[in-house]
Amino acid sequence: MTFTIHARKNDQSIVTVRISPAVAVDKARVLQLSGWNVHVTDSAGHQFGPSDFDHLSSFARESA
């Protein structure tokens, strides 16, 4: 499964793809701490905001 990180700040937009939910969450948290508005989307189209990042991290541990 792939995870896409979507980030927006001012007039800029970043989209990054990762195959690991843990790595996607780590990248999303770094961007969020830098002032970006961030969410992660999985390959099924489910969207996860910052309040859901812990859930995504636990998903990574369960599937490992």
Side-chain angles (χ1 to χ4, degrees), residues 2-7 13-19 23-24 27-28 31 39-41:
T2 60
F3 297 86
T4 306
I5 303 141
H6 304 267
S13 172
I14 297 173
V15 177
T16 307
V17 177
R18 299 288 187 260
I19 59 170
V23 174
K27 177 68 174 176
L31 288 167
H39 71 272
V40 176
T41 306

PDB file of all heavy atoms in Angstrom, residues 2-7 13-19 23-24 27-28 31 39-41:
ATOM      1  N   THR A   2       0.470   2.248  -0.730  1.00  0.00           N
ATOM      2  CA  THR A   2       1.218   3.504  -0.755  1.00  0.00           C
ATOM      3  C   THR A   2       0.471   4.574   0.033  1.00  0.00           C
ATOM      4  O   THR A   2      -0.752   4.519   0.191  1.00  0.00           O
ATOM      5  CB  THR A   2       1.436   4.009  -2.200  1.00  0.00           C
ATOM      6  OG1 THR A   2       0.171   4.215  -2.819  1.00  0.00           O
ATOM      7  CG2 THR A   2       2.266   3.027  -2.997  1.00  0.00           C
ATOM      8  N   PHE A   3       1.227   5.531   0.511  1.00  0.00           N
ATOM      9  CA  PHE A   3       0.685   6.639   1.283  1.00  0.00           C
ATOM     10  C   PHE A   3       1.196   7.932   0.676  1.00  0.00           C
ATOM     11  O   PHE A   3       2.390   8.069   0.422  1.00  0.00           O
ATOM     12  CB  PHE A   3       1.108   6.524   2.749  1.00  0.00           C
ATOM     13  CG  PHE A   3       0.561   5.294   3.399  1.00  0.00           C
ATOM     14  CD1 PHE A   3       1.240   4.088   3.306  1.00  0.00           C
ATOM     15  CD2 PHE A   3      -0.644   5.329   4.061  1.00  0.00           C
ATOM     16  CE1 PHE A   3       0.725   2.939   3.881  1.00  0.00           C
ATOM     17  CE2 PHE A   3      -1.170   4.182   4.639  1.00  0.00           C
ATOM     18  CZ  PHE A   3      -0.483   2.980   4.538  1.00  0.00           C
ATOM     19  N   THR A   4       0.293   8.847   0.424  1.00  0.00           N
ATOM     20  CA  THR A   4       0.650  10.119  -0.195  1.00  0.00           C
ATOM     21  C   THR A   4       0.487  11.221   0.836  1.00  0.00           C
ATOM     22  O   THR A   4      -0.566  11.341   1.470  1.00  0.00           O
ATOM     23  CB  THR A   4      -0.245  10.402  -1.413  1.00  0.00           C
ATOM     24  OG1 THR A   4      -0.178   9.283  -2.304  1.00  0.00           O
ATOM     25  CG2 THR A   4       0.203  11.649  -2.139  1.00  0.00           C
ATOM     26  N   ILE A   5       1.534  12.005   0.990  1.00  0.00           N
ATOM     27  CA  ILE A   5       1.521  13.128   1.918  1.00  0.00           C
ATOM     28  C   ILE A   5       1.194  14.382   1.106  1.00  0.00           C
ATOM     29  O   ILE A   5       1.864  14.675   0.114  1.00  0.00           O
ATOM     30  CB  ILE A   5       2.890  13.295   2.597  1.00  0.00           C
ATOM     31  CG1 ILE A   5       3.272  11.996   3.306  1.00  0.00           C
ATOM     32  CG2 ILE A   5       2.894  14.460   3.566  1.00  0.00           C
ATOM     33  CD1 ILE A   5       4.718  11.666   3.191  1.00  0.00           C
ATOM     34  N   HIS A   6       0.161  15.087   1.533  1.00  0.00           N
ATOM     35  CA  HIS A   6      -0.251  16.331   0.892  1.00  0.00           C
ATOM     36  C   HIS A   6       0.009  17.456   1.881  1.00  0.00           C
ATOM     37  O   HIS A   6      -0.459  17.390   3.018  1.00  0.00           O
ATOM     38  CB  HIS A   6      -1.744  16.299   0.556  1.00  0.00           C
ATOM     39  CG  HIS A   6      -2.141  15.150  -0.301  1.00  0.00           C
ATOM     40  ND1 HIS A   6      -2.205  15.226  -1.671  1.00  0.00           N
ATOM     41  CD2 HIS A   6      -2.476  13.883   0.022  1.00  0.00           C
ATOM     42  CE1 HIS A   6      -2.574  14.058  -2.161  1.00  0.00           C
ATOM     43  NE2 HIS A   6      -2.748  13.221  -1.149  1.00  0.00           N
ATOM     44  N   ALA A   7       0.735  18.465   1.448  1.00  0.00           N
ATOM     45  CA  ALA A   7       1.054  19.583   2.336  1.00  0.00           C
ATOM     46  C   ALA A   7       0.852  20.903   1.598  1.00  0.00           C
ATOM     47  O   ALA A   7       1.177  21.021   0.420  1.00  0.00           O
ATOM     48  CB  ALA A   7       2.497  19.471   2.827  1.00  0.00           C
ATOM     49  N   SER A  13       2.436  23.990  -2.587  1.00  0.00           N
ATOM     50  CA  SER A  13       1.840  22.675  -2.375  1.00  0.00           C
ATOM     51  C   SER A  13       2.912  21.616  -2.617  1.00  0.00           C
ATOM     52  O   SER A  13       3.702  21.734  -3.553  1.00  0.00           O
ATOM     53  CB  SER A  13       0.685  22.500  -3.358  1.00  0.00           C
ATOM     54  OG  SER A  13       0.196  21.207  -3.334  1.00  0.00           O
ATOM     55  N   ILE A  14       2.927  20.588  -1.756  1.00  0.00           N
ATOM     56  CA  ILE A  14       3.875  19.480  -1.886  1.00  0.00           C
ATOM     57  C   ILE A  14       3.083  18.177  -1.842  1.00  0.00           C
ATOM     58  O   ILE A  14       2.186  18.022  -1.019  1.00  0.00           O
ATOM     59  CB  ILE A  14       4.897  19.463  -0.736  1.00  0.00           C
ATOM     60  CG1 ILE A  14       5.765  20.711  -0.739  1.00  0.00           C
ATOM     61  CG2 ILE A  14       5.769  18.210  -0.800  1.00  0.00           C
ATOM     62  CD1 ILE A  14       6.670  20.811   0.484  1.00  0.00           C
ATOM     63  N   VAL A  15       3.434  17.245  -2.721  1.00  0.00           N
ATOM     64  CA  VAL A  15       2.862  15.901  -2.692  1.00  0.00           C
ATOM     65  C   VAL A  15       4.031  14.930  -2.713  1.00  0.00           C
ATOM     66  O   VAL A  15       4.889  15.002  -3.593  1.00  0.00           O
ATOM     67  CB  VAL A  15       1.929  15.649  -3.894  1.00  0.00           C
ATOM     68  CG1 VAL A  15       1.417  14.222  -3.882  1.00  0.00           C
ATOM     69  CG2 VAL A  15       0.775  16.630  -3.886  1.00  0.00           C
ATOM     70  N   THR A  16       4.070  14.032  -1.731  1.00  0.00           N
ATOM     71  CA  THR A  16       5.149  13.064  -1.600  1.00  0.00           C
ATOM     72  C   THR A  16       4.548  11.681  -1.385  1.00  0.00           C
ATOM     73  O   THR A  16       3.596  11.534  -0.630  1.00  0.00           O
ATOM     74  CB  THR A  16       6.053  13.410  -0.387  1.00  0.00           C
ATOM     75  OG1 THR A  16       6.478  14.758  -0.501  1.00  0.00           O
ATOM     76  CG2 THR A  16       7.252  12.504  -0.321  1.00  0.00           C
ATOM     77  N   VAL A  17       5.118  10.656  -2.026  1.00  0.00           N
ATOM     78  CA  VAL A  17       4.610   9.291  -1.899  1.00  0.00           C
ATOM     79  C   VAL A  17       5.599   8.446  -1.104  1.00  0.00           C
ATOM     80  O   VAL A  17       6.804   8.503  -1.342  1.00  0.00           O
ATOM     81  CB  VAL A  17       4.374   8.660  -3.289  1.00  0.00           C
ATOM     82  CG1 VAL A  17       3.907   7.223  -3.161  1.00  0.00           C
ATOM     83  CG2 VAL A  17       3.367   9.476  -4.074  1.00  0.00           C
ATOM     84  N   ARG A  18       5.061   7.661  -0.163  1.00  0.00           N
ATOM     85  CA  ARG A  18       5.864   6.736   0.639  1.00  0.00           C
ATOM     86  C   ARG A  18       5.145   5.386   0.659  1.00  0.00           C
ATOM     87  O   ARG A  18       3.929   5.317   0.530  1.00  0.00           O
ATOM     88  CB  ARG A  18       6.014   7.234   2.078  1.00  0.00           C
ATOM     89  CG  ARG A  18       6.722   8.573   2.201  1.00  0.00           C
ATOM     90  CD  ARG A  18       8.209   8.428   1.897  1.00  0.00           C
ATOM     91  NE  ARG A  18       8.943   9.643   2.163  1.00  0.00           N
ATOM     92  CZ  ARG A  18       9.315  10.519   1.241  1.00  0.00           C
ATOM     93  NH1 ARG A  18       8.989  10.330  -0.017  1.00  0.00           N
ATOM     94  NH2 ARG A  18      10.006  11.576   1.578  1.00  0.00           N
ATOM     95  N   ILE A  19       5.898   4.296   0.833  1.00  0.00           N
ATOM     96  CA  ILE A  19       5.273   2.971   0.875  1.00  0.00           C
ATOM     97  C   ILE A  19       5.055   2.481   2.300  1.00  0.00           C
ATOM     98  O   ILE A  19       4.343   1.513   2.513  1.00  0.00           O
ATOM     99  CB  ILE A  19       6.078   1.922   0.072  1.00  0.00           C
ATOM    100  CG1 ILE A  19       7.497   1.791   0.610  1.00  0.00           C
ATOM    101  CG2 ILE A  19       6.066   2.253  -1.402  1.00  0.00           C
ATOM    102  CD1 ILE A  19       8.260   0.626   0.026  1.00  0.00           C
ATOM    103  N   VAL A  23       6.887   5.863   7.786  1.00  0.00           N
ATOM    104  CA  VAL A  23       7.711   6.878   7.119  1.00  0.00           C
ATOM    105  C   VAL A  23       6.841   8.035   6.646  1.00  0.00           C
ATOM    106  O   VAL A  23       7.235   9.198   6.742  1.00  0.00           O
ATOM    107  CB  VAL A  23       8.505   6.248   5.948  1.00  0.00           C
ATOM    108  CG1 VAL A  23       9.253   7.303   5.164  1.00  0.00           C
ATOM    109  CG2 VAL A  23       9.466   5.195   6.473  1.00  0.00           C
ATOM    110  N   ALA A  24       5.636   7.736   6.167  1.00  0.00           N
ATOM    111  CA  ALA A  24       4.713   8.793   5.747  1.00  0.00           C
ATOM    112  C   ALA A  24       4.354   9.687   6.926  1.00  0.00           C
ATOM    113  O   ALA A  24       4.350  10.917   6.801  1.00  0.00           O
ATOM    114  CB  ALA A  24       3.461   8.180   5.131  1.00  0.00           C
ATOM    115  N   LYS A  27       7.360  11.940   7.910  1.00  0.00           N
ATOM    116  CA  LYS A  27       7.510  13.048   6.972  1.00  0.00           C
ATOM    117  C   LYS A  27       6.404  14.082   7.183  1.00  0.00           C
ATOM    118  O   LYS A  27       6.663  15.287   7.204  1.00  0.00           O
ATOM    119  CB  LYS A  27       7.485  12.518   5.535  1.00  0.00           C
ATOM    120  CG  LYS A  27       7.551  13.576   4.466  1.00  0.00           C
ATOM    121  CD  LYS A  27       8.883  14.263   4.437  1.00  0.00           C
ATOM    122  CE  LYS A  27       8.949  15.227   3.255  1.00  0.00           C
ATOM    123  NZ  LYS A  27      10.198  15.982   3.247  1.00  0.00           N
ATOM    124  N   ALA A  28       5.174  13.617   7.368  1.00  0.00           N
ATOM    125  CA  ALA A  28       4.046  14.526   7.576  1.00  0.00           C
ATOM    126  C   ALA A  28       4.230  15.339   8.856  1.00  0.00           C
ATOM    127  O   ALA A  28       3.945  16.542   8.880  1.00  0.00           O
ATOM    128  CB  ALA A  28       2.743  13.734   7.622  1.00  0.00           C
ATOM    129  N   LEU A  31       6.787  18.104   8.305  1.00  0.00           N
ATOM    130  CA  LEU A  31       6.182  19.209   7.555  1.00  0.00           C
ATOM    131  C   LEU A  31       5.234  20.009   8.434  1.00  0.00           C
ATOM    132  O   LEU A  31       5.234  21.241   8.398  1.00  0.00           O
ATOM    133  CB  LEU A  31       5.441  18.668   6.328  1.00  0.00           C
ATOM    134  CG  LEU A  31       6.327  18.154   5.198  1.00  0.00           C
ATOM    135  CD1 LEU A  31       5.511  17.365   4.189  1.00  0.00           C
ATOM    136  CD2 LEU A  31       7.053  19.306   4.528  1.00  0.00           C
ATOM    137  N   HIS A  39      -2.029  16.393   5.372  1.00  0.00           N
ATOM    138  CA  HIS A  39      -2.813  15.181   5.549  1.00  0.00           C
ATOM    139  C   HIS A  39      -2.176  14.077   4.719  1.00  0.00           C
ATOM    140  O   HIS A  39      -1.400  14.336   3.800  1.00  0.00           O
ATOM    141  CB  HIS A  39      -4.303  15.368   5.213  1.00  0.00           C
ATOM    142  CG  HIS A  39      -4.599  15.533   3.759  1.00  0.00           C
ATOM    143  ND1 HIS A  39      -4.585  16.752   3.141  1.00  0.00           N
ATOM    144  CD2 HIS A  39      -4.917  14.627   2.808  1.00  0.00           C
ATOM    145  CE1 HIS A  39      -4.890  16.595   1.860  1.00  0.00           C
ATOM    146  NE2 HIS A  39      -5.091  15.308   1.638  1.00  0.00           N
ATOM    147  N   VAL A  40      -2.479  12.842   5.085  1.00  0.00           N
ATOM    148  CA  VAL A  40      -1.948  11.667   4.389  1.00  0.00           C
ATOM    149  C   VAL A  40      -3.130  10.907   3.799  1.00  0.00           C
ATOM    150  O   VAL A  40      -4.162  10.745   4.461  1.00  0.00           O
ATOM    151  CB  VAL A  40      -1.158  10.755   5.365  1.00  0.00           C
ATOM    152  CG1 VAL A  40      -0.686   9.491   4.670  1.00  0.00           C
ATOM    153  CG2 VAL A  40       0.023  11.514   5.963  1.00  0.00           C
ATOM    154  N   THR A  41      -2.971  10.440   2.574  1.00  0.00           N
ATOM    155  CA  THR A  41      -3.998   9.645   1.913  1.00  0.00           C
ATOM    156  C   THR A  41      -3.426   8.277   1.600  1.00  0.00           C
ATOM    157  O   THR A  41      -2.299   8.168   1.100  1.00  0.00           O
ATOM    158  CB  THR A  41      -4.449  10.323   0.603  1.00  0.00           C
ATOM    159  OG1 THR A  41      -4.845  11.660   0.887  1.00  0.00           O
ATOM    160  CG2 THR A  41      -5.597   9.579  -0.039  1.00  0.00           C
TER     161      THR A  41
END
